[in-house]
Amino acid sequence: MQRKILFGVIGVVVVLAIGATVLYLLASRTSSASADDALVEFRATAGEDRGDLPGLPPQGVYRYSVEGSESIGGGPLSVTRALPGTSPRILRHTDDGYETEWRISSDHTEYWRYVLDDRGASTAEERSKLTVAGISGTTENEWSPPPLRLPLDPEIGDRWTSEAATPDGQTVRIESVVAGEDTVDVGGTPVTVTNVDSTLEFSGDLTGEIRETNSYDATSGMEVRHVSVSELTEGGSTVTTRWDATLQSLEPAR
């Protein structure tokens, strides 16, 4: 999504000011990120495995099936490109939680660092990289206080509001509710998930909104399905993203 994304994973938008002609001719093309490359990188950078702690997903490289698109607009032109049908997601353990690097396409990567405590997983840092027509931009935000995203002991009907800011004045307000339970087919295995619906409102240099549903296994903390719609604007450019990603297997590649 080119957006400052806080999906699941809060994540973050990079909005690029690109010449209209270049945008129109080149920006509509993207391809799948390599799962093999992601596995090589994971093996080279994986931290110490912290075991089977509540809310801590296993380390490795996960694959997701994806349906969706992203539209990038600057000035009078807007280009829409379909997201690839599969994407790898690297998950590494850290000293105080875990981090994920979701390679949505060869041109779009979202990174989140979560701190894990007795409340659940909260997003401390996020980084987003978007490439359009061969031009790349990266943004990085460290949120204080880290907003809770995936509660460890969810109860249907639970509601909470989180407000966070960065040192340079970017803010986010997140309203979340535990909407219920569902069953998701993961490679032929039915998995019971908790659905957390969230609305994220941004103010500062980046403005706009993300509406998302994170469907996750509360015991392991693993995100099984993520559905998101976002429209974010920065510097006169707007990125609109719609996507639906579902885990293909509970066992990561290592």
Side-chain angles (χ1 to χ4, degrees):
M1 325 162 185
Q2 214 21 53
R3 26 164 233 189
K4 271 187 179 177
I5 176 181
L6 285 91
F7 137 4
V9 177
I10 312 180
V12 188
V13 178
V14 181
V15 180
L16 305 174
I18 299 175
T21 301
V22 174
L23 182 65
Y24 180 77
L25 293 176
L26 301 177
S28 60
R29 301 174 183 175
T30 191
S31 59
S32 298
S34 170
D36 290 340
D37 288 350
L39 183 57
V40 169
E41 183 170 328
F42 167 75
R43 289 171 175 170
T45 60
E48 181 181 352
D49 195 303
R50 297 179 61 214
D52 213 8
L53 299 175
L56 182 64
Q59 292 194 107
V61 177
Y62 296 86
R63 296 193 188 197
Y64 286 77
S65 300
V66 180
E67 295 180 359
S69 63
E70 55 190 9
S71 298
I72 305 100
L77 293 178
S78 178
V79 172
T80 298
R81 59 191 186 188
L83 297 175
T86 60
S87 66
R89 186 185 192 195
I90 302 171
L91 193 150
R92 308 177 187 88
H93 292 174
T94 63
D95 290 343
D96 58 359
Y98 61 98
E99 61 184 13
T100 66
E101 182 180 327
W102 203 329
R103 299 182 177 183
I104 298 167
S105 73
S106 59
D107 296 310
H108 187 170
T109 298
E110 297 285 349
Y111 166 91
W112 297 271
R113 180 171 62 84
Y114 295 94
V115 293
L116 190 63
D117 57 24
D118 56 5
R119 299 185 308 153
S122 302
T123 305
E125 181 183 357
E126 57 186 1
R127 185 167 60 248
S128 181
K129 180 178 180 180
L130 181 69
T131 299
V132 180
I135 302 173
S136 295
T138 301
T139 60
E140 183 172 358
N141 281 339
E142 293 188 18
W143 297 108
S144 181
L148 176 66
R149 302 313 316 281
L150 304 176
L152 189 58
D153 295 309
E155 296 277 348
I156 295 174
D158 283 353
R159 294 178 179 271
W160 68 97
T161 299
S162 301
E163 295 185 352
T166 66
D168 62 0
Q170 180 67 51
T171 65
V172 64
R173 175 184 173 87
I174 309 173
E175 295 185 357
S176 300
V177 58
V178 179
E181 292 187 344
D182 201 355
T183 301
V184 178
D185 186 313
V186 178
T189 299
V191 177
T192 300
V193 296
T194 297
N195 292 331
V196 174
D197 293 344
S198 297
T199 299
L200 299 80
E201 296 181 351
F202 296 88
S203 60
D205 291 339
L206 176 78
T207 60
E209 181 180 89
I210 298 174
R211 292 183 178 272
E212 65 184 24
T213 298
N214 290 312
S215 302
Y216 73 107
D217 171 18
T219 300
S220 70
M222 191 65 209
E223 286 183 83
V224 175
R225 186 182 181 193
H226 178 83
V227 179
S228 178
V229 177
S230 67
E231 183 172 320
L232 297 168
T233 299
E234 185 177 24
S237 296
T238 298
V239 174
T240 302
T241 304
R242 295 174 175 80
W243 68 325
D244 185 339
T246 302
L247 188 63
Q248 293 183 345
S249 174
L250 294 171
E251 294 296 326
R254 297 190 181 91

